[in-house]
Amino acid sequence: MSSSPTHLSFLAGRLSPPFSSERVGLRPQRVEFRIPKSRFSCSAGQSGFFSRLGRLIKEKAKSDVEKVFSGFSKTRENLAVIDELLLFWNLAETDRVLDELEEALLVSDFGPKITVRIVERLRDDIMSGKLKSGTEIKDALKGSVLEMLAKKNSKTELQLGFRKPAVVMIVGVNGGGKTTSLGKLAHRLKNEGTKVLMAAGDTFRAAASDQLEIWAERTGCDIVVAEGEKAKAATVLTKAVKRGKEEGYDIVLCDTSGRLHTNFSLMEELIACKKAVGKVVSGAPNEILLVLDGNTGLNMLPQAREFNEIVGITGLILTKLDGSARGGCVVSVVEELGIPVKFIGVGEAVEDLQPFDAEAFVNAIFS
């Protein structure tokens, strides 16, 4: 294993089969795999690691795309009325059609600001003669949503820096799927050949450590747990990051206690955790990922604002979207907060935490 600093950057790209070609370029200390129509890129010092990773991406591509598509079935059903509206569209019915389209977007939790902006843009383009058919209107609708996501959601890759171990903190309120998301993320990273260490930093919830230990066993990852009932979260995370540094782990995934965004004393504990890991590895944590329950729709915005103000959120994991018809909240949270969505939960299986890709998302909800 190379002793030189290693840069890890996992880019959540669109995995669209078939792959017509694969180009591999080898240089000292760096290997790149470039796959057509994919935005997944990594760079580090071990060529064998990325050889395995490239094959894995190719093998999983088809199933991953299907999971994203099926995960948004309820939102897609809500928005299916748009196809009906545009099927026999004519200029004389523009106002009625756009009113009903607006309602469909609102029901799917796109939010008032975004919905009005989309609809008024469509109205202007229709009246100016730019859009002359239902197909053109739908394409313009998809284009508007994609443009919003692309503008403020450009950094969907995990930013893991140049030092090992990279440290990722997972934060959120109780019941949002925080510990489960950490376990699924560990599974994905482990399968990509990464040496992962878990840190059971949720010291408030009695069953949290046990839950994470189950995930550690399930994914084949090592774990650091609290010693004693009154251990502080910052102490557990410090111990884990030190072990990660001493034993050559690639990534340390840190669980934290679930907390209401209105509980300031618990929110301050997150600051202590953030400072603690930074003392062990300069620049850590590399990522602070906020887990939000997709079923809450636009109600997730106040949570995200508070967490971001306290600890500086670098990315979002939106969970339980497969059980929600409110998939438009993905667009709302990106547009309102400017924080990139890095992963989405589209099912209960361990493989159902998917890297977020704007184009795949738009195609899934507006099929």
Side-chain angles (χ1 to χ4, degrees):
M1 180 176 294
S2 172
S3 61
S4 61
T6 302
H7 174 67
L8 301 173
S9 176
F10 293 85
L11 179 58
R14 176 163 56 102
L15 306 176
S16 299
F19 299 107
S20 58
S21 65
E22 196 169 289
R23 185 170 64 196
V24 181
L26 295 177
R27 296 195 302 271
Q29 297 296 314
R30 182 178 177 87
V31 174
E32 293 182 340
F33 281 79
R34 296 181 181 178
I35 302 173
K37 297 184 180 179
S38 174
R39 296 187 299 107
F40 192 104
S41 67
C42 304
S43 59
Q46 294 183 348
S47 60
F49 174 85
F50 292 101
S51 296
R52 294 192 299 273
L53 180 60
R55 290 196 299 270
L56 180 64
I57 295 169
K58 187 173 181 179
E59 291 168 2
K60 295 199 310 179
K62 187 175 186 298
S63 62
D64 281 357
V65 170
E66 291 176 350
K67 286 180 184 297
V68 173
F69 187 83
S70 63
F72 284 99
S73 59
K74 292 189 176 181
T75 299
R76 190 164 59 251
E77 289 171 9
N78 258 3
L79 296 172
V81 66
I82 294 175
D83 288 329
E84 298 174 15
L85 290 170
L86 298 178
L87 183 61
F88 301 108
W89 173 84
N90 62 71
L91 187 60
E93 296 186 340
T94 296
D95 288 339
R96 178 188 66 81
V97 169
L98 291 180
D99 284 346
E100 294 191 36
L101 188 151
E102 180 178 297
E103 183 179 349
L105 294 176
L106 288 171
V107 168
S108 297
D109 261 14
F110 276 80
K113 292 181 181 178
I114 293 173
T115 297
V116 169
R117 190 186 313 169
I118 291 172
V119 171
E120 290 308 310
R121 182 173 176 178
L122 291 176
R123 190 189 308 276
D124 290 343
D125 288 346
I126 291 170
M127 293 307 175
S128 67
K130 292 181 181 179
L131 304 177
K132 300 178 181 178
S133 69
T135 300
E136 290 180 352
I137 294 172
K138 184 175 180 181
D139 288 343
L141 168 62
K142 293 171 67 175
S144 292
V145 175
L146 186 58
E147 182 181 329
M148 290 179 183
L149 289 172
K151 185 182 296 184
K152 295 188 177 181
N153 200 60
S154 57
K155 293 185 178 180
T156 55
E157 72 274 12
L158 287 178
Q159 302 292 324
L160 301 179
F162 292 88
R163 295 181 178 87
K164 285 188 177 183
V167 180
V168 178
M169 283 178 57
I170 310 292
V171 303
V173 301
N174 288 313
K178 179 172 49 60
T179 303
T180 298
S181 294
L182 188 152
K184 291 181 178 181
L185 179 57
H187 170 78
R188 175 172 286 274
L189 294 172
K190 179 78 172 181
N191 280 354
E192 290 169 352
T194 307
K195 188 177 181 182
V196 178
L197 178 65
M198 296 182 179
D202 186 348
T203 56
F204 282 89
R205 188 164 59 94
S209 181
D210 293 339
Q211 183 184 356
L212 198 62
E213 285 188 85
I214 292 172
W215 273 109
E217 182 177 353
R218 186 176 180 184
T219 58
C221 296
D222 296 322
I223 186 171
V224 172
V225 299
E227 296 179 358
E229 295 181 359
K230 296 183 179 180
K232 293 184 178 180
T235 302
V236 177
L237 300 194
T238 297
K239 180 182 176 182
V241 176
K242 283 182 178 179
R243 177 179 169 184
K245 187 176 181 179
E246 292 167 0
E247 298 183 17
Y249 285 87
D250 296 313
I251 300 176
V252 179
L253 297 179
C254 301
D255 195 14
T256 59
S257 301
R259 63 205 69 222
L260 291 173
H261 55 286
T262 53
N263 190 322
F264 295 107
S265 62
L266 287 180
M267 292 293 280
E268 286 178 354
E269 184 194 60
L270 286 180
I271 300 176
C273 290
K274 181 179 179 179
K275 290 180 178 179
V277 298
K279 290 178 180 178
V280 182
V281 176
S282 179
N286 304 84
E287 291 273 14
I288 301 178
L289 303 181
L290 173 62
V291 178
L292 296 170
D293 184 346
N295 285 310
T296 63
L298 292 176
N299 292 326
M300 69 174 62
L301 290 175
Q303 296 177 27
R305 288 193 186 98
E306 290 293 335
F307 274 95
N308 189 42
E309 185 176 334
I310 297 296
V311 291
I313 301 301
T314 60
L316 303 172
I317 299 176
L318 303 185
T319 64
K320 307 179 185 179
L321 290 169
D322 57 306
S324 171
R326 308 168 81 176
C329 66
V330 174
V331 186
S332 298
V333 73
V334 170
E335 177 66 17
E336 291 281 338
L337 303 176
I339 301 173
V341 177
K342 305 226 171 183
F343 293 91
I344 51 175
V346 292
E348 295 183 1
V350 67
E351 300 86 2
D352 289 340
L353 185 71
Q354 294 293 318
F356 179 75
D357 178 77
E359 189 172 347
F361 165 74
V362 170
N363 287 334
I365 64 172
F366 290 115
S367 174

